[in-house]
């Protein structure tokens, strides 16, 4: 049987260079592949966080420089996201998802080769490319191939891939690090990324010819602007926890490198459950209120991390709460993007919201690192709590304005366009 091309039953983006259903029935294989792509896009962040104690020892990386690795990666992702969104809309999800996996493999391999901070930072910056492509490409595939009623569930599962990456970094790859060294763990991740590229190329049908070049939208408007602002503050707090909680557990709480890395694994497992559960609950009329709720719960996680300096066992409760609330916020914002994207804009809208998230990831860890460098961990967790408070304020304000119809032409609901 000949493989179908995108656009045969493309749904929302059929006429805009979008995608169609993959060959074969159902969405199980598609969901699994999208989940793997999301895991790869963020895997380097979690590996750097989980391996932080070893990197600081082996490469002479200071806590401030460890935070700068996140800045380099996500600063690149934030700058490239608007262009990445338009690229996905033009080229289609198959081409961009294969490219995502290949570049992720190269970046992980370069980190494994790094003799010091210079190549490490360059490799991490290269890893910003798959981060910029991940949400636009996966959301584009969902809008094109999945019926509207099933999209929140599929979006939640694919967004759980990010936390699957956290689990992989914090448990199996951390265990491999203990047995064979951190470079072996990174080479293993690079090979898995290469395998994902081959799987994606075989699973997805060919994209249509590239659409004509169009204007790249750099300034978000309407609901996209509000979600980008929410994502900025949420990302700043999340990135600080992802980058430093393992180092905090090792240096401040005395857990040791392996147990401290397991904090990332626990965060990953609870994040998977949170993202899938909250995404399924994010139905129109309810979804708009969830970002504020999740950000408010995240404040509690930050305060538990603060309290763990006096009661170390609380750090395990803190990462559980963090996974359920903070980590789920970005998944719900992507559900809202998918629900409201007009025809042909799923990629760009996803990219603009992701750019806000990545900008937060770039800014948050260096600020935290300055406090961690001087041993002021409590001040760091108070900073994270403040960032989550600001995220809750932005999301709550938007939800109220949206309910009152104050968003004007920025809101495009699924029923209004019959698309996303």
């Amino acid at each position: 049987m000949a493989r179908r091309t995108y656009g045969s039953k493309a749904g929302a983006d059929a006429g805009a260079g979008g995608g169609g259903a993959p060959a074969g029935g159902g969405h199980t294989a598609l969901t699994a592949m999208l989940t793997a792509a999301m895991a790869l896009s963020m895997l380097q962040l979690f590996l750097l966080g989980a391996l932080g104690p070893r990197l600081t020892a082996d490469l002479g990386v200071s806590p401030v420089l460890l935070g700068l690795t996140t800045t380099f990666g996500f600063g690149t992702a934030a700058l490239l996201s608007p262009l990445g969104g338009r690229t996905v809309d033009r080229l289609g999800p198959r081409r961009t998802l294969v490219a995502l996996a290949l570049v992720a493999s190269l970046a992980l391999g370069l980190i494994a080769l790094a003799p010091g901070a210079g190549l490490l930072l360059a490799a991490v910056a290269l890893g910003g490319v798959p981060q910029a492509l991940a949400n636009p490409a996966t959301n584009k595939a969902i809008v094109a191939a999945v019926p509207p009623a099933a999209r929140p569930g599929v979006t939640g599962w694919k967004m759980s891939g990010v936390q699957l990456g956290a689990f992989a970094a914090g448990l199996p790859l951390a265990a491999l690090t203990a047995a064979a060294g951190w470079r072996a763990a990174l080479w293993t991740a690079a090979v898995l990324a290469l395998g994902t590229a081959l799987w994606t190329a075989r699973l997805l049908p060919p994209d249509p010819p590239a659409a004509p070049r169009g204007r790249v939208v750099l300034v978000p408007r309407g609901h996209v602007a509000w979600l980008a602002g929410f994502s900025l503050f949420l990302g700043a707090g999340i990135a600080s926890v992802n980058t430093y909680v393992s180092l905090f557990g090792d240096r401040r709480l005395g857990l040791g490198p392996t147990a401290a890395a397991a904090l990332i694994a626990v965060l990953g497992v609870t994040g998977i459950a949170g993202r899938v559960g909250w995404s399924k609950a994010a139905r129109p009329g309810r979804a708009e209120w969830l970002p504020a709720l999740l950000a408010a719960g995240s404040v509690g996680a930050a305060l538990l991390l603060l309290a763990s300096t006096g009661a170390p066992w609380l750090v395990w409760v803190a990462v559980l709460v963090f996974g359920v609330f903070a980590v789920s916020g970005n998944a719900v914002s992507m559900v809202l993007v998918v629900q409201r994207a007009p025809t042909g804009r799923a990629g760009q809208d996803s990219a603009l919201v992701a750019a806000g998230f990545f900008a937060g990831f770039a800014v948050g860890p260096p600020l935290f690192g300055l406090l961690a460098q001087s041993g002021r961990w409590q001040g760091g967790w108070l900073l994270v709590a403040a960032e989550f408070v600001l995220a809750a304020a932005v999301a709550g304000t938007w939800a109220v304005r949206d309910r009152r119809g104050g968003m004007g032409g920025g809101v495009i609901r699924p029923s209004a366009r019959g698309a996303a």
Side-chain angles (χ1 to χ4, degrees):
M1 179 182 295
R3 297 175 77 195
R4 288 181 293 174
T5 60
Y6 282 113
S8 57
K9 290 186 179 180
D13 282 359
H27 305 295
T28 302
L30 173 67
T31 303
M33 186 276 295
L34 297 178
T35 302
M38 292 298 296
L40 287 176
S41 72
M42 297 278 280
L43 183 57
Q44 72 170 22
L45 166 72
F46 294 115
L47 277 171
L48 291 171
L51 302 178
R54 289 181 168 89
L55 291 174
T56 55
D58 292 354
L59 298 182
V61 175
S62 69
V64 171
L65 188 59
L66 185 64
L68 284 176
T69 62
T70 302
T71 299
F72 269 63
F74 287 98
T76 303
L79 291 173
L80 292 180
S81 282
L83 178 61
R86 182 57 192 154
T87 299
V88 171
D89 282 335
R90 285 190 62 243
L91 301 181
R94 182 175 184 261
R95 294 186 185 103
T96 48
L97 285 169
V98 170
L100 180 158
L102 290 174
V103 176
S105 179
L106 177 59
L108 289 164
L110 289 175
I111 295 173
L113 290 172
L119 183 56
L120 175 65
L121 292 175
V124 170
L126 179 63
V129 175
Q131 292 161 18
L133 294 174
N135 273 308
T138 53
N139 286 353
K140 186 82 169 179
I142 290 170
V143 170
V146 180
R151 288 174 191 165
V154 175
T155 302
W157 276 111
K158 74 97 179 176
M159 291 299 293
S160 75
V162 175
Q163 301 315 119
L164 180 63
F167 174 78
L171 195 61
L173 290 176
L176 180 59
T177 297
W182 61 269
R183 296 185 192 272
L186 281 158
W187 280 120
T188 300
V191 171
L192 291 174
L194 185 60
T196 301
L198 296 173
W199 177 28
T200 302
R202 291 182 59 85
L203 175 66
L204 294 181
D207 294 309
R213 292 183 181 274
R215 182 172 60 92
V216 176
V217 179
L218 298 177
V219 180
R221 298 183 183 279
H223 69 285
V224 175
W226 284 97
L227 290 174
F230 160 74
S231 298
L232 171 68
F233 295 113
L234 184 76
I238 289 176
S240 296
V241 176
N242 287 343
T243 304
Y244 287 106
V245 72
S246 182
L247 194 65
F248 171 68
D250 179 50
R251 289 193 175 182
R252 178 65 175 80
L253 303 184
L255 298 180
T258 302
L263 290 169
I264 300 291
V266 172
L267 185 157
V269 171
T270 55
I272 291 171
R275 286 191 165 199
V276 172
W278 287 114
S279 295
K280 288 184 176 180
R283 297 183 178 87
R286 178 193 298 170
E288 293 78 8
W289 298 96
L290 291 182
L293 170 66
L294 296 175
S298 304
V299 177
L303 295 178
L304 283 169
L305 286 168
L306 174 66
S308 70
T309 57
W313 63 272
L314 283 175
V315 72
W316 299 99
V317 181
V319 294
L320 284 170
V321 176
F322 182 80
V324 171
F325 288 95
V327 168
S328 303
N330 189 43
V332 171
S333 66
M334 286 300 158
V335 170
L336 284 161
V337 170
V338 169
Q339 287 175 345
R340 293 172 173 234
T343 301
R345 280 292 303 272
Q348 285 203 63
D349 285 358
S350 300
L352 291 170
V353 173
F357 193 60
F358 295 149
F361 267 66
V363 172
L367 296 176
F368 192 105
L370 292 172
L371 296 169
Q373 182 81 9
S374 59
R376 291 184 288 170
W377 293 100
Q378 291 175 316
W381 300 133
L382 284 174
L383 173 64
V384 170
E387 289 162 346
F388 288 146
V389 167
L390 290 171
V394 172
T397 302
W398 170 67
V400 172
R401 286 170 58 90
D402 185 69
R403 179 152 187 174
R404 293 175 179 172
M407 296 292 292
V411 176
I412 300 176
R413 300 187 184 279
S415 58
R417 297 294 299 265

